[in-house]
Amino acid sequence: MIVITGATGNVGRPLVQTLTALGEDVVPVSRSGAGHQADLTEPETLRPVLDGAKAVFLLTSADFLARGNLRSVVDVLRESGVPRVVLLSSQGVTTQRHPSVHEDAVTGSGLEWTILRPGNFASNALAWAESIRTQRAMYAPYADVALPAVDPQDIAEVAAAVLREPGHAGAVYTLTGPVAISPRQQAKVIEDAIGTPIQFTELTREQARTGMLTFMPEPVVEATLDVLGAPLPSEQAVSPDVEKVLGRTPHTFADWLDRNLPAFR
Ligand SMILES: NC(=O)c1ccc[n+]([C@@H]2O[C@H](COP(=O)([O-])OP(=O)(O)OC[C@H]3O[C@@H](n4cnc5c(N)ncnc54)[C@H](OP(=O)(O)O)[C@@H]3O)[C@@H](O)[C@H]2O)c1
């Protein structure tokens, strides 16, 4: 049996579907969705589903950064005899945009671990969906700065492989899409897909910051805006790791959009 935290999220949802389709016995975990309800900031709430688990997928939310302690979560996994843990981290840990505290908890756990470090998610485009749907307008900062947005479906498929198969112990995978794409180029892809022109407005950093602060803690907002505005060459580079694990090229932004088009129409 495999336990999936963050099971209702961008990565967790396709991960549960992928593993279930492969015939795995899966326990989805979140605070409010179907499956087992647990809060990772109270690690004991996870314990009831860990008995007999062969692997756990760990995801930390933005608010967990401020309130949670992954070391305590990992302690509960170890005490429960879970042999393998896969952590969804961030490429920002390599580039020192985010602290390494969560990765340190996992790599120091004594469990068999694998770390996934995705870059910018293609699904971040959902933040533009409502204004595109209702006004045919898109507002984004750093219009012409390109990042290789990764499809959460690819992250989920890599996670599924790593959770099920041997051979990934101690591996750290950087997960990106196949090509860097800017917000203005993403707007063009959306325009072509919905068949209607979109009015693109570039936001200032301050305007973008105000909007993002409504759903993210300040240090995460600042780090995210730094990546979006002034990415390092390593953050704009395409990683070979999705293909290395899955044996196929990563999905494009257009592929992600195909599966999420109703949100923009
Ligand atoms: N977006 C990006 O560009 C990007 C880039 C690199 C890395 N990341 C990393 O990706 C992760 C986010 O993945 P995602 O987009 O799939 O997540 P998401 O869509 O934001 O969903 C978060 C999931 O975690 C659950 N959750 C939140 N807080 C919880 C808690 N305290 N206890 C138990 N469950 C909790 C949520 O369900 P409930 O609310 O019902 O609990 C939900 O299932 C973060 O760690 C982020 O740092 C994101």
Side-chain angles (χ1 to χ4, degrees), residues 4-14 29-34 36-42 45-46 57-65 67-68 87-92 98 102 116-124 150 152 155 175 216 220 224 228:
I4 307 298
T5 67
T8 57
N10 294 305
V11 175
R13 221 174 322 112
V29 174
S30 64
R31 288 168 304 180
S32 55
H36 177 71
Q37 296 194 348
D39 187 333
L40 292 177
T41 64
E42 297 168 30
T45 59
L46 201 54
F57 176 77
L58 274 185
L59 174 152
T60 56
S61 57
D63 77 327
F64 186 87
L65 264 181
R67 301 189 296 119
L87 176 70
L88 178 62
S89 179
S90 168
Q91 192 184 18
H98 298 303
H102 294 145
L116 309 183
R117 286 183 182 157
N120 185 42
F121 286 12
S123 53
N124 293 348
V150 59
I155 304 173
L175 306 178
M216 279 184 191
V220 181
T224 303
L228 296 179

Side-chain angles (χ1 to χ4, degrees), residues 126 128-137 194 261-265:
L126 288 171
W128 306 321
E130 187 181 347
S131 66
I132 291 176
R133 211 175 46 243
T134 59
Q135 309 159 29
R136 294 294 184 240
I194 63 177
L261 208 49
F264 296 87
R265 275 203 163 122

Side-chain angles (χ1 to χ4, degrees), residues 56-78:
V56 172
F57 176 77
L58 274 185
L59 174 152
T60 56
S61 57
D63 77 327
F64 186 87
L65 264 181
R67 301 189 296 119
N69 175 356
L70 203 67
R71 230 170 260 280
S72 322
V73 176
V74 168
D75 285 346
V76 172
L77 303 192
R78 194 187 319 97

